[in-house]
Amino acid sequence: MARKNYPDEFKRDAVALYRDTEGATITVIAAELGVSEATLSAWCKAAGVPIRHRKPGSAHVTAPGVQTPEQELARLRAQVKDLQAEKTKLATERDILRSAAKYFGRGDELVSRFQFVADHLHTFEVKWLCAVVEVARSSFYAWLAGAQGRAARQAADEALEARIRTVHDEDNTYGAPRITAELNDGAADGERVNHKRVARVMRGAGIAGYRRKRRVTTTVADPANQKVPDLLNRDFTSEQVNSRYVGDITYLPLATGSNLYLATVIDCFSGRVAGWAIADHMRTELVEDALKSAHALRGSLVGAIFHSDHGSRYTSKDFAELCKDLGVTQSMGGVGSSADNALAESFNASLKREVLQDRRNWSDAATCRREVFRWLVRYNTRRRHSRCRYSSPATYEDNHTTATLPEAA
C-alpha cells in the first residue's frame, strides 16, 4: 500500500531528481520513487518546477535497465538480422563443403584443398574458402604462384614417362634401377635422370618390373658320392674373370607335361653365363656340355673353381674326370642347402620369372629352346646387372681389361 505521508526532505529530493534528470518524465521518476504521478506532480508544482510533457514522436525515456517498446523492437530486429546472416553463412559453408567433398581422398590432401580453392575462387571469397577447408591464405597464394613451375615439371615427367615406356616395352622385367641405367647410357649431362625420379614416375604411371608371385623349388639335392669341400663359403664374388664359377640344373616345364633341362656355368666376377646346355634329360652329359661350353668361351679354365650342389651329376666320377682334365677345382655346398649355391639359384629364378612370367610352361620344346636362348644372349650382352654397376656382364668384363684370362695349358 502506497505511503501517505512523506518527509519534507524526501519531497525536496524527489523534485530535484525530476528537475535535474534531462528528458525524464513524471511517469519515469514516479515509478523509480514508488509514488504516484499525481503526488510527484503536486510536489513539483508546490516547488515551482514546471512539468515537462513528452512531445509526440520523441523518444520515451525509461529508467536504467528498463527498455521502451521501441528499444525492445529494435533489439529484436537486430537479433533477427544476425540470425539470418548466420543462417546464410552456414548454408554457404555447407554448399562449399559439398563441392569440396569430391576433391578429398585423391592424392595429396593439401594439394587437393589448394586446387579446390583455385577452382572456386570466382564463386566464393578466397578468405571464406580457405577458412572452410582449413588452409592458410598465404600458403594458397604461394601454391598458386608456383602453378607455372608445376606445369613445366608435369610436362617433363610426361616426356620421361614416354621414354620409360619405350625401355619397359622392350623388356618388361626391368625395374627403376635398370631403366635408369638404360636412359642414362650415352645421355648428355643435361639429359641424365636420377633413379629416384624414375621410380616416382614409374610408380605414378603404374609401370613396374615383373615379379613372379609364386615360389618354385628348382633344385633337389642328392647325397654326395665323393667328399668335396666348400671353397666359396657363400662368397659369390670374384676379383677377376675366369676364376670362380657356380653352376646348377633347372627344369623347363612344357605344356606336354614333360621337361627340358638347363645346366649353367656362371662367372662370379660378372654374373655372365659363360656356358650352358639344354637337353631333354638330366644325365651327366648335360652338366659336362655346359662346362665344355664355358671352356670354349674362355679358351681355358685352368685354375678356376667350379661350385655346385651335391646333385648326382656333379658328384659323378665322369664329371670329376672332366674337371680334372680341364684343370678345374670342384667345390660343393652343404647337402640340401640352397643358400650354399645362392647365385645359381637366383639365376634360375630370374630366368623363369622373366621368360615365363605368368605362364605355367612353354608350349613346346622348340619354343622353349628359342626363348631361353634369346634370353641368355640378352642376359649376357644387354641386360643390366646391379653387380656390374648396371652394365651388361659382357660390357663389364670388357671395361676391366686388367683382368686377364689364363693361358691354355
Side-chain angles (χ1 to χ4, degrees):
M1 189 172 176
R3 181 175 178 179
K4 298 297 184 179
N5 299 314
Y6 297 92
D8 293 339
E9 184 178 358
F10 179 83
K11 295 177 181 179
R12 289 193 300 270
D13 290 340
V15 171
L17 177 62
Y18 171 71
R19 184 186 65 239
D20 298 336
T21 304
E22 183 178 357
T25 63
I26 288 291
T27 303
V28 173
I29 301 301
E32 288 186 16
L33 298 176
V35 300
S36 67
E37 295 181 25
T39 300
L40 182 57
S41 297
W43 293 343
C44 290
K45 289 179 182 179
V49 176
I51 304 300
R52 294 187 295 270
H53 297 284
R54 183 165 61 91
K55 297 179 181 179
S58 62
H60 182 71
V61 179
T62 61
V66 179
Q67 290 185 324
T68 64
E70 292 83 357
Q71 292 173 327
E72 180 71 13
L73 180 60
R75 182 181 63 81
L76 292 175
R77 285 177 176 173
Q79 288 182 348
V80 170
K81 184 177 180 180
D82 291 342
L83 290 174
Q84 288 177 338
E86 183 66 19
K87 179 182 177 181
T88 302
K89 177 183 177 183
L90 292 175
T92 303
E93 290 181 351
R94 180 196 60 200
D95 293 340
I96 292 174
L97 289 174
R98 282 179 177 175
S99 300
K102 63 182 180 181
Y103 284 78
F104 299 145
R106 60 180 192 186
D108 189 296
E109 182 179 347
L110 183 59
V111 171
S112 297
R113 294 176 187 228
F114 287 154
Q115 189 61 56
F116 169 75
V117 176
D119 291 346
H120 294 81
L121 56 82
H122 298 299
T123 305
F124 305 101
E125 292 183 6
V126 173
K127 179 180 179 180
W128 207 344
L129 290 168
C130 291
V132 171
V133 298
E134 298 180 346
V135 295
R137 275 186 294 168
S138 59
S139 299
F140 164 71
Y141 283 121
W143 176 85
L144 194 63
Q148 186 174 359
R150 288 194 303 276
R153 288 192 295 273
Q154 182 177 355
D157 284 349
E158 290 174 356
L160 177 60
E161 180 185 335
R163 296 172 59 198
I164 290 172
R165 287 192 182 279
T166 300
V167 176
H168 190 261
D169 289 345
E170 184 178 351
D171 189 340
N172 67 348
T173 64
Y174 270 19
R178 289 190 173 93
I179 288 181
T180 302
E182 186 74 23
L183 294 174
N184 289 336
D185 189 16
D189 290 340
E191 297 177 352
R192 296 181 65 84
V193 291
N194 182 276
H195 72 280
K196 292 183 179 179
R197 183 185 173 203
V198 172
R200 174 178 59 79
V201 173
M202 289 180 64
R203 188 166 52 249
I207 304 173
Y210 178 79
R211 293 186 179 90
R212 188 165 184 160
K213 295 176 180 153
R214 44 184 196 277
R215 185 175 179 180
V216 180
T217 302
T218 58
T219 300
V220 178
D222 285 334
N225 294 325
Q226 56 177 324
K227 298 296 181 180
V228 177
D230 184 348
L231 302 179
L232 298 190
N233 294 317
R234 301 186 180 181
D235 179 10
F236 304 108
T237 62
S238 177
E239 296 182 356
Q240 60 182 2
V241 178
N242 198 33
S243 61
R244 284 183 170 191
Y245 292 92
V246 297
D248 195 14
I249 302 174
T250 188
Y251 70 92
L252 308 174
L254 304 177
T256 60
S258 60
N259 298 311
L260 292 181
Y261 300 92
L262 170 68
T264 54
V265 178
I266 304 170
D267 195 314
C268 292
F269 174 74
S270 62
R272 183 173 188 169
V273 185
W276 73 80
I278 301 177
D280 57 0
H281 62 78
M282 289 183 65
R283 295 190 295 271
T284 303
E285 300 98 279
L286 177 65
V287 295
E288 289 179 331
D289 288 344
L291 191 61
K292 291 175 182 177
S293 175
H295 172 76
L297 175 71
R298 297 305 192 191
S300 173
L301 296 177
V302 173
I305 295 173
F306 177 75
H307 182 84
S308 67
D309 58 26
H310 276 88
S312 60
R313 293 89 192 164
Y314 294 115
T315 59
S316 66
K317 292 183 179 179
D318 289 342
F319 187 73
E321 286 294 329
L322 176 62
C323 289
K324 182 178 179 181
D325 292 342
L326 297 178
V328 174
T329 301
Q330 282 190 271
S331 169
M332 292 185 184
V335 176
S337 176
S338 60
D340 286 348
N341 199 20
L343 178 57
E345 295 281 354
S346 175
F347 170 84
N348 293 339
S350 295
L351 184 152
K352 292 183 180 179
R353 180 180 66 249
E354 296 185 7
V355 180
L356 277 178
Q357 298 194 8
D358 291 326
R359 294 178 295 166
R360 298 179 64 87
N361 47 50
W362 282 273
S363 58
D364 53 67
T367 300
C368 177
R369 286 177 180 273
R370 183 173 60 252
E371 290 186 356
V372 171
F373 173 77
R374 181 185 295 115
W375 186 85
L376 286 168
V377 172
R378 178 181 174 81
Y379 185 90
N380 281 338
T381 61
R382 295 192 59 191
R383 188 179 185 274
R384 298 177 183 275
H385 296 244
S386 57
R387 70 185 293 135
C388 298
R389 299 177 182 175
Y390 289 105
S391 63
S392 69
T395 301
Y396 187 69
E397 290 183 358
D398 291 342
N399 290 339
H400 289 73
T401 55
T402 55
T404 57
L405 298 178
E407 296 181 357

